[in-house]
Amino acid sequence: MLTRKQIELLGFIQKRMMRDGVPPSFDEMKDALDLRSKSGIHRLVTALEERGFIRRLPHRARALEVLRLPDALAHLAEPPKEEAKPAFTPRVITNQRPARPRGALTVVDSPAVQLPLMGRIAAGVPIEAISEVSHHVAVPGTMLSGREHHYALEVTGDSMIEAGINDGDVVVIREQDTAENGDIVVALVDDQEATLKHYRRKGSMVALEAANPAYETRLLPEDRVRIQGRLVGLIRSY
């Protein structure tokens, strides 16, 4: 059973999706529900996700999908839609063997794979993650791990320079939602800002550490940070 605020938020998201085709921002949700801070919205969204009413889509700062509606919001239901296709399917540059199942990334008979460049990632002050695929980049197949999904991001900023990551580099990310201490990860903060940092867990807090003494470590509650992937490779142009 949903609370009144959960139903109110779910109805607001559904109405905006029907009107605009995109979900509202967290600020818009906060204002619509007359809440003082976005932390209350984060708790409501998490509760709706845990109960199977919505889901958050990866690599996007404000992407939510309504999966079902309670009886109280049945009047807002839309006709069933066809299952959405992935925004991209990384492809192996070879035609020597039959196509592999969708999502497979095992590299065979080819030194390179085309990966989507999803936008820019901050190695410095966090910037909003860009969710659109701007183009594809060729990545050595040795950087990829079996059937796991991968994507690429262009680095902006110098906070990871002592880890060998410079402004303008392209990093290859293996999609995953967990990390070990010391991993370099794509971290999404408050579902709005993405940054590339060392990950360290400290009790119920998460430290996002730079590799540049000019930048301070950000220490955040674990519920404000979501791991979007781990660094597995880097491409640099000269």
Side-chain angles (χ1 to χ4, degrees):
M1 179 178 296
L2 299 182
T3 66
R4 181 178 61 83
K5 281 293 186 183
Q6 290 167 357
I7 292 175
E8 187 178 348
L9 178 60
L10 185 58
F12 177 65
I13 294 171
Q14 177 70 356
K15 288 177 182 178
R16 286 294 298 273
M17 290 289 292
M18 294 173 65
R19 189 188 77 182
D20 302 333
V22 294
S25 68
F26 276 65
D27 281 322
E28 291 169 331
M29 295 181 204
K30 175 178 69 69
D31 293 341
L33 271 65
D34 196 26
L35 297 180
R36 294 183 178 180
S37 69
K38 288 189 290 188
S39 62
I41 294 297
H42 286 295
R43 288 192 291 270
L44 291 172
V45 168
T46 299
L48 289 171
E49 186 176 28
E50 290 175 349
R51 288 162 174 77
F53 287 94
I54 64 174
R55 70 172 177 176
R56 287 183 262 208
L57 304 179
H59 319 313
R60 300 187 182 187
R62 49 182 279 188
L64 299 174
E65 180 182 8
V66 177
L67 300 177
R68 62 190 180 96
L69 295 171
D71 292 341
L73 297 176
H75 62 286
L76 297 179
E78 293 182 303
K81 296 180 180 179
E82 294 183 1
E83 182 179 355
K85 295 182 180 179
F88 61 86
T89 302
R91 59 184 179 85
V92 178
I93 307 175
T94 179
N95 58 6
Q96 298 180 19
R97 293 191 181 182
R100 303 182 70 83
R102 186 175 66 182
L105 281 169
T106 302
V107 179
V108 292
D109 299 335
S110 176
V113 170
Q114 291 284 338
L115 287 186
L117 185 66
M118 301 298 294
R120 295 184 303 163
I121 182 74
V125 179
I127 59 174
E128 186 172 10
I130 299 175
S131 61
E132 301 299 326
V133 177
S134 57
H135 61 278
H136 286 70
V137 294
V139 175
T142 53
M143 287 186 183
L144 309 184
S145 305
R147 294 177 178 270
E148 300 297 332
H149 289 277
H150 296 72
Y151 57 95
L153 292 165
E154 181 183 354
V155 174
T156 178
D158 62 356
S159 74
M160 297 300 290
I161 195 167
E162 292 190 1
I165 303 171
N166 299 334
D167 183 54
D169 287 347
V170 172
V171 290
V172 179
I173 305 298
R174 183 175 69 190
E175 184 179 336
Q176 59 186 70
D177 58 9
T178 60
E180 301 291 335
N181 282 342
D183 285 348
I184 297 177
V185 303
V186 174
L188 192 63
V189 179
D190 293 333
D191 288 323
Q192 293 189 6
E193 297 174 320
T195 188
L196 188 72
K197 292 290 185 292
H198 282 292
Y199 169 92
R200 297 195 189 280
R201 183 75 175 269
K202 298 184 177 182
S204 62
M205 306 292 283
V206 170
L208 299 178
E209 297 179 354
N212 183 336
Y215 292 83
E216 294 183 354
T217 295
R218 298 185 70 188
L219 191 62
L220 301 165
E222 60 181 349
D223 62 355
R224 292 181 57 192
V225 179
R226 288 200 298 132
I227 304 302
Q228 301 288 281
R230 182 173 67 84
L231 176 74
V232 296
L234 182 146
I235 301 171
R236 178 170 298 157
S237 299
Y238 292 93

